[in-house]
Amino acid sequence: HSLVALQPGGGLVRYTLLETLRAFGRERLDEFGEQEATRRRHAAYYVGLGEDAAEQVRGRDEALGVARLDRALENLRAAHRWCIRNGEVDLALRLSASLLRYALWRLRDEVLGWAAEAAALAGARSHEHYPTVAGVAGWAAGLRGDLDRATRWARDGLDAVTDANDPRALVPYEVLLHVALWSGELDSCLEVASQARQVVDDPAELVPQYAPGLALTYAGRPDDALAWMEDVQALADRAGNPSMRALSHYTRGEALLELAPEDAVVPLQHAAELAAAVDNRIVLGVVDVSLGSLHARHGEPQVALRSFAGIIDRLYDGRDWTHLWTGLRGLVSVLARLRRDEAATTLLGAVREADTAPPPYGDDAERLAELADELTGRLGAAPFTSAYARGRAMTDHEAVAFARHAISEATPVGG
């Protein structure tokens, strides 16, 4: 009772030392010269835990793996910091590589950011995990909206493998195909996805499988996307990983949004249910964007307005700027439908001109151009130009704050 404290949570009870005893223990380790050896053992233990949990995160027991890593996060952070401080390149790269799927789908920006630090250690480039870790750093940069840096990291990872079919090329390829998808280079996305499928045949790694479904949809070929996704969905369902199943349902929902919007709701909601069970915040974020946009165009704008508040919170907290800007473009449509013309125009200026925003293309670009014409007509040229300029001058964080304020202003009292 005097030595430990109970930490219940997640169906488990853990024991932790009181802080005064932890400080006493550190003093004794220093006194006996065992501080660094103990920290090394600690780091090695948690690298092993990360690698073991990674297999769960990729499989049917994803929720259990995520819970293990959530509970261990403070210790994982301490292990990473010790590895970086002491130049422990092997442990640092192994840790970052093992945490990719956990950190990516949970939008753990801090954990994704560990990759760049690990990759910068002396001797890192010759390590077997360097291509994967460079890819993790590319994912981090891409979600933050720096597509050029993401591409450089991915190319660097590919340069570190000598065989184009080396499985370690998978994560750099994932980054490149997503940069192409986000940038509207859809033929390139399909080509890189094809290359990625050559390097791995693993039902737990379906990113190169589902991405072509999105590329085909955004290229105006939703029928082809649905046909493509039939086999991908079956493969994901047989393998049973919740995140891969959720991504497959989401991709089918995106195709149906273009063909039969009313039929898209079921797969999108199914994707959200699967994602919520494993805290997959990327899928929850993009599903919310899709459903919010559906309500904005075809449903009740006040319903859409409420959903966009949640979208901003989820994606902004995870520093997923790339998907957040897509959501804010949808919010422009909602504000315009609600005749909040000045706010819509200001936000339009922000989402079109932000440095971290991927370029709009296809139907998205056409909708924004139509909104600009509509808002100009309603406001008049001079007021439109003034409001647009205010948005263009905003920083990213100011644009988010403005969007939140616009939602609050447009929400009825008690709504």
Side-chain angles (χ1 to χ4, degrees), residues 37-49:
T38 302
R39 289 189 178 278
R40 182 184 299 276
R41 289 197 299 272
H42 173 275
Y45 174 85
Y46 278 97
V47 169
L49 184 148

Side-chain angles (χ1 to χ4, degrees), residues 33-78:
E34 297 180 4
Q35 179 79 257
E36 288 306 300
T38 302
R39 289 189 178 278
R40 182 184 299 276
R41 289 197 299 272
H42 173 275
Y45 174 85
Y46 278 97
V47 169
L49 184 148
E51 291 173 332
D52 184 55
E55 293 305 307
Q56 287 181 302
V57 171
R58 294 171 64 252
R60 290 179 178 273
D61 294 330
E62 182 176 3
L64 293 177
V66 169
R68 286 179 68 191
L69 293 170
D70 281 345
R71 290 194 300 270
L73 187 56
E74 184 177 347
N75 280 298
L76 294 168
R77 182 182 294 115

Side-chain angles (χ1 to χ4, degrees), residues 342-371:
E342 185 174 344
T345 302
T346 301
L347 190 58
L348 178 64
V351 302
R352 273 180 148 182
E353 306 294 341
D355 291 337
T356 55
Y361 62 87
D363 290 344
D364 201 16
E366 290 180 12
R367 277 193 290 270
L368 290 179
E370 291 170 359
L371 280 170

